[in-house]
Amino acid sequence: MKFFIDTANLNEINEAHDLGILDGVTTNPSLMAKEGISGDSNILKHYSEICNIVDGDVSAEVISTDFDGMIREGKILSDLNSKIVVKVPMIKDGVKAIKYFSNHNIRTNCTLVFSVGQALLAAKAGATYVSPFIGRLDDISNDGLNLIKEIKDVYSNYNYQTEILAASIRNTMHIINCAKIGADVITSPLESILGLLSHPLTDSGLEKFLSDYNKGK
Ligand code: E4P
């Protein structure tokens, strides 16, 4: 399973990269705004800085909601760096844009996916990644993880190559359960990734090892 970090914060991206397990980054307009990045040229510059840190894919989202606008923006984004994956919302023009990008060898991440039907359309259009938002489904008392399972079943029925990128991860157990289901990728805040490290028996075991070592000095 690939690990992406879901942030536009350069310190967090660096920290995850230094851990040696980072496969990519996803951003969205809200995450950019959270870092105080605004204005087209600043946003493009920030994407370049992210690309300079990571080795893998960097999802950069279009703002347009019409086909022509998405194509124009997507071309600018994908020309910026070969690591960029154009993030396109799951709307009618978005599906058309994904098909266009797929025909022109531009990689895409279909975002804001909340149903199997939407995931099916994304795969049919040739999306590189599909991003079901599990946390936001959980927030409205739906089962986000079950959606990952259902998309996996449907994609395997037809051997679709679109990778399932579990997004809107809220906690460490989301990551573990996505791995059990067989999601291709998770994108997560740093905190939930670091949560994978923790176990009280590791902490107490290490403390004992070190105190026993020090007794023998
Ligand atoms: C996906 O790529 C999105 O950026 C993200 O996972 C959304 O997560 P949220 O629901 O925590 O905003």
Side-chain angles (χ1 to χ4, degrees), residues 11-146:
N11 291 332
E12 289 183 6
I13 294 169
N14 267 309
E15 189 176 339
H17 175 72
D18 287 349
L19 204 53
I21 50 84
L22 190 65
D23 300 299
V25 177
T26 53
T27 61
N28 63 41
S30 304
L31 292 171
M32 282 292 196
K34 194 174 163 197
E35 299 309 313
I37 315 292
S38 62
D40 292 350
S41 63
N42 287 334
I43 289 173
L44 290 177
K45 190 167 153 270
H46 200 73
Y47 283 139
S48 293
E49 286 178 39
I50 294 174
C51 290
N52 288 339
I53 301 171
V54 296
D55 301 320
D57 293 346
V58 175
S59 283
E61 188 158 343
V62 297
I63 305 303
S64 304
T65 52
D66 64 294
F67 176 79
D68 292 338
M70 287 186 201
I71 301 306
R72 183 176 31 79
E73 273 188 68
K75 284 179 176 170
I76 294 170
L77 290 168
S78 71
D79 284 348
L80 192 64
N81 193 297
S82 58
K83 294 172 188 170
I84 296 274
V85 175
V86 181
K87 206 170 177 190
V88 179
M90 170 37 78
I91 54 177
K92 199 197 266 185
D93 279 31
V95 173
K96 289 188 207 168
I98 289 168
K99 183 67 188 172
Y100 174 93
F101 288 133
S102 154
N103 287 342
H104 290 79
N105 291 319
I106 292 174
R107 295 178 306 142
T108 52
N109 173 356
C110 182
T111 190
L112 289 168
V113 166
F114 295 93
S115 74
V116 178
Q118 291 177 326
L120 191 54
L121 276 179
K124 286 284 291 174
T128 313
Y129 296 104
V130 66
S131 288
F133 279 35
I134 61 179
R136 291 192 196 187
L137 279 169
D138 288 357
D139 288 347
I140 58 156
S141 305
N142 275 233
D143 187 347
L145 285 165
N146 189 52

Side-chain angles (χ1 to χ4, degrees), residues 180-213:
K180 286 183 185 171
I181 293 166
D184 300 292
V185 193
I186 54 95
T187 189
S188 163
L190 179 63
E191 196 190 0
S192 304
I193 296 175
L194 294 180
L196 293 167
L197 284 166
S198 304
H199 199 288
L201 291 179
T202 304
D203 297 340
S204 59
L206 184 60
E207 203 181 310
K208 176 87 169 83
F209 285 157
L210 294 180
S211 77
D212 287 346
Y213 169 81

